[in-house]
Amino acid sequence: RQTPRLSSQKNLHQLKPTVGFAMSDNINVAMDIPDLPHDVLTQVFQLLDRHPTSLAKCCCTCRTWRTLASDDEIWREVTRKKYKYNSRKLPAGLPHVKQEYVRRWQMDKEARAALGKLVFPLQRQAALVRLEELGADIKDVLKAELRLGGSAAIGRRYWAGVALARVETAISVANLRRLESRSREPSREGDWVQDVNDCLEGALDVAAAIDHNGVQQDVRASVRKAIDALGARLRHLLKNVHPGSIQALGIACKLLFGTEARELQDEIVMAGCHGPDRFNGTPAELEALQNVNVPLDGNTAYYKPENSLLNRVLLTGRGIPVSLSVILAAVAARAGVRLHFVGAPGHFLTRFEIAEGPGTGERVWVDAFESGDIMTREETLHVISHIPDVTNEASRASLEEDMPPHKVVGRMLINLLMLYARTFDNPPLLVSAAAVLRMRSALEPNDRTHAMNLGQVELALNNWQAALQAVQSLAPPLTGAVSRDNVIVLTVTVHWVAPRQCMLDDSTVVRA
């Protein structure tokens, strides 16, 4: 359908310079498609790279066509266009690239079938679990459902949003489990760049699970691009400055919190009004910074979820100490400026050791919540001393200790848990609370309190299957903050009441 008819002498001569095979000028006989050379057929099949169904039908014609139409180069282009792969993302070890396309196509088909079951209460839990198992590969299908228009698609859009939330949470939980396991590896000691990147990725997992913004740009990718663009600007500012000097730290703080930030924001505005030539950077950096609002500052309205989500912090320019510190350390690391995370009692800071120039060997601390204020040890202790219930001994000890990445992300989750602690009358916030508890359990697998709280939240959301899984993780003996009476009540509720709601297997009730 996309190529000219090849049965006429005129069209054959038009094809001759392209395909490069010998042809007599006095040809008088028509040539059928089976008579075409294989290289010509391959070129014809390459024109079907946007029509994989037609390409698959060609594979069913005969053995020759099946061999030619299954060429890796053709299906690599088909897979790249359909699933936005590049050559590095394609899985290694596949006998044929076509197998990857078939695998993704089957997953998309299964995802659509599971979405159709979400409207039925008795099939909902199993469908959600299956969508979680399919993982990140079906996010494009869910986002396509969210784009459906018309009143008839309201239900599908709603359940696609619910499924997308569950999938994003499952991805974040898996990533945080890997982060927690890596934190116990001895080889990590001293690898400060990896620590900063792990903190950034963990914070992005939290943001993606809580603020999955549907059809908009991917949370993780957009924040990474913004951080990289800010890092490129910082490298430009430090081209004649040693990254270990106190001057480099001051420039990094000015870029995010001070005069350099205001100049950057003015450039972005001027580029939007008068063209990209007014921006001192690449077009890709300008695009990445379109949704960044600098200078950053602390938000006195402390207990708001957006203060802990990096994408929202960059968009609004307001955050809490831990989120602002992660952004500062990530941008600084891209220019070689070394910052360490400090979990002070009641506050969160970063520490910098001067390695070049005046004050070499001394340490200073940065309070990102106070517009990147650089403080000496005495000034830092004075700030912390005003926090209630904090002793001088605890303050001094905490200033010298590096907080590992999984603890930094855990600190962000604690802030969110404090926000969601009294949301049992608000189902949308309960969904976010369940996501936070799942991520908290991934970072602290031995703390049964999180499983107990997760079971209660899932019960409040009428997610009986999820509540059952949370209870089953509470294996005896029960110790610590988990109340045995609460576990018994929750267990009886889940095992006895749930079968009448979602028809669980009777053997589960017998075991209870």
Side-chain angles (χ1 to χ4, degrees):
R1 288 177 299 185
Q2 297 187 16
T3 56
R5 292 178 57 84
L6 302 179
S7 58
S8 67
Q9 180 177 339
K10 177 181 178 182
N11 285 336
L12 283 174
H13 281 289
Q14 289 177 348
L15 194 59
K16 176 181 175 181
T18 304
V19 301
F21 62 88
M23 186 183 304
S24 173
D25 290 336
N26 58 358
I27 245 179
N28 292 317
V29 294
M31 180 180 288
D32 294 329
I33 286 182
D35 300 325
L36 289 174
H38 289 178
D39 56 347
V40 179
L41 285 173
T42 300
Q43 290 192 20
V44 173
F45 292 147
Q46 286 174 348
L47 297 175
L48 296 175
D49 56 3
R50 294 186 180 275
H51 300 271
T53 303
S54 299
L55 195 58
K57 290 179 180 178
C58 291
C59 293
C60 299
T61 304
C62 63
R63 293 179 182 177
T64 302
W65 279 34
R66 180 180 181 85
T67 302
L68 296 175
S70 299
D71 182 75
D72 274 0
E73 291 302 320
I74 298 176
W75 283 96
R76 181 174 284 107
E77 188 67 14
V78 171
T79 307
R80 185 187 67 81
K81 291 181 178 179
K82 174 69 174 178
Y83 296 110
K84 300 179 178 63
Y85 277 134
N86 56 39
S87 58
R88 291 172 295 179
K89 280 186 176 181
L90 280 171
L94 289 174
H96 300 287
V97 180
K98 180 182 175 182
Q99 291 183 356
E100 174 63 11
Y101 183 91
V102 173
R103 183 187 71 85
R104 292 293 303 270
W105 180 84
Q106 291 173 342
M107 293 180 67
D108 290 353
K109 182 179 178 180
E110 190 173 355
R112 293 188 182 93
L115 276 174
K117 296 178 182 178
L118 291 179
V119 297
F120 303 106
L122 299 183
Q123 302 180 40
R124 185 172 301 152
Q125 293 301 323
L128 285 173
V129 170
R130 183 54 187 152
L131 287 169
E132 286 184 12
E133 293 172 349
L134 293 174
D137 287 340
I138 64 166
K139 286 170 61 175
D140 289 339
V141 175
L142 300 178
K143 291 182 179 181
E145 293 288 331
L146 288 172
R147 298 188 190 99
L148 293 176
S151 58
I154 292 177
R156 291 187 67 86
R157 288 199 300 269
Y158 171 78
W159 288 113
V162 172
L164 183 61
R166 295 288 290 266
V167 169
E168 288 285 10
T169 301
I171 295 171
S172 297
V173 168
N175 291 340
L176 293 180
R177 284 200 183 103
R178 288 191 289 270
L179 173 62
E180 192 275 334
S181 63
R182 287 199 304 270
S183 66
R184 298 192 298 268
E185 298 175 1
S187 60
R188 291 186 54 86
E189 296 179 1
D191 191 355
W192 67 275
V193 176
Q194 186 62 44
D195 285 345
V196 171
N197 287 334
D198 283 348
C199 287
L200 175 63
E201 292 302 318
L204 291 180
D205 287 327
V206 174
I210 303 300
D211 188 24
H212 45 89
N213 51 5
V215 297
Q216 300 180 17
Q217 194 174 20
D218 182 71
V219 170
R220 295 179 179 88
S222 62
V223 174
R224 287 192 199 106
K225 291 177 181 178
I227 296 293
D228 290 341
L230 290 170
R233 173 57 67 97
L234 182 58
R235 287 195 301 273
H236 174 73
L237 295 173
L238 297 182
K239 59 184 178 181
N240 296 322
V241 180
H242 192 281
S245 65
I246 189 66
Q247 183 183 359
L249 178 62
I251 293 174
C253 291
K254 288 180 181 179
L255 175 62
L256 292 179
F257 308 105
T259 55
E260 294 290 344
R262 284 186 280 272
E263 292 179 6
L264 175 60
Q265 194 66 39
D266 291 341
E267 282 188 32
I268 296 173
V269 173
M270 292 298 292
C273 297
H274 303 288
D277 293 340
R278 310 298 290 270
F279 180 74
N280 186 19
T282 65
E285 293 170 2
L286 175 61
E287 181 182 1
L289 294 174
Q290 288 297 323
N291 293 324
V292 174
N293 187 10
V294 288
L296 305 177
D297 200 2
N299 192 348
T300 54
Y302 202 85
Y303 292 109
K304 288 186 175 181
E306 54 267 25
N307 291 336
S308 298
L309 310 180
L310 295 195
N311 60 321
R312 295 290 182 177
V313 172
L314 290 173
L315 181 63
T316 62
R318 297 293 180 267
I320 57 177
V322 61
S323 58
L324 293 171
S325 296
V326 169
I327 293 174
L328 172 62
V331 173
R334 280 151 175 76
V337 180
R338 182 173 182 174
L339 289 171
H340 298 272
F341 297 107
V342 176
H347 202 29
F348 197 90
L349 306 166
T350 52
R351 187 182 67 248
F352 178 79
E353 184 171 348
I354 304 175
E356 183 73 16
T360 300
E362 296 182 2
R363 291 181 171 183
V364 294
W365 286 260
V366 181
D367 189 351
F369 192 74
E370 296 293 339
S371 301
D373 188 19
I374 301 175
M375 304 176 292
T376 63
R377 185 188 308 273
E378 290 72 21
E379 292 170 339
T380 306
L381 290 172
H382 178 72
V383 170
I384 298 176
S385 65
H386 289 80
I387 300 174
D389 302 325
V390 175
T391 63
N392 289 333
E393 292 76 11
S395 301
R396 292 181 183 277
S398 65
L399 292 183
E400 305 299 333
E401 296 178 359
D402 293 347
M403 179 171 276
H406 71 288
K407 294 289 186 182
V408 175
V409 180
R411 186 103 169 217
M412 301 180 74
L413 293 173
I414 289 174
N415 292 326
L416 288 168
L417 282 177
M418 294 175 66
L419 171 67
Y420 296 136
R422 297 180 178 87
T423 58
F424 273 76
D425 57 344
N426 191 331
L429 289 182
L430 270 183
V431 173
S432 298
V436 171
L437 285 167
R438 289 178 185 276
M439 291 185 285
R440 190 87 172 125
S441 298
L443 290 175
E444 297 183 1
N446 297 324
D447 192 339
R448 296 173 180 171
T449 307
H450 304 314
M452 178 67 197
N453 293 334
L454 177 60
Q456 292 176 339
V457 170
E458 296 291 5
L459 280 175
L461 290 169
N462 293 325
N463 294 334
W464 304 97
Q465 191 80 17
L468 172 64
Q469 293 174 357
V471 170
Q472 288 175 336
S473 67
L474 296 169
L478 296 170
T479 58
V482 179
S483 167
R484 188 176 184 83
D485 291 338
N486 286 341
V487 173
I488 292 173
V489 171
L490 182 59
T491 303
V492 171
T493 304
V494 172
H495 284 81
W496 191 252
V497 181
R500 287 142 183 79
Q501 299 292 331
C502 63
M503 302 179 70
L504 294 178
D505 185 71
D506 289 340
S507 61
T508 305
V509 182
V510 173
R511 289 197 302 271

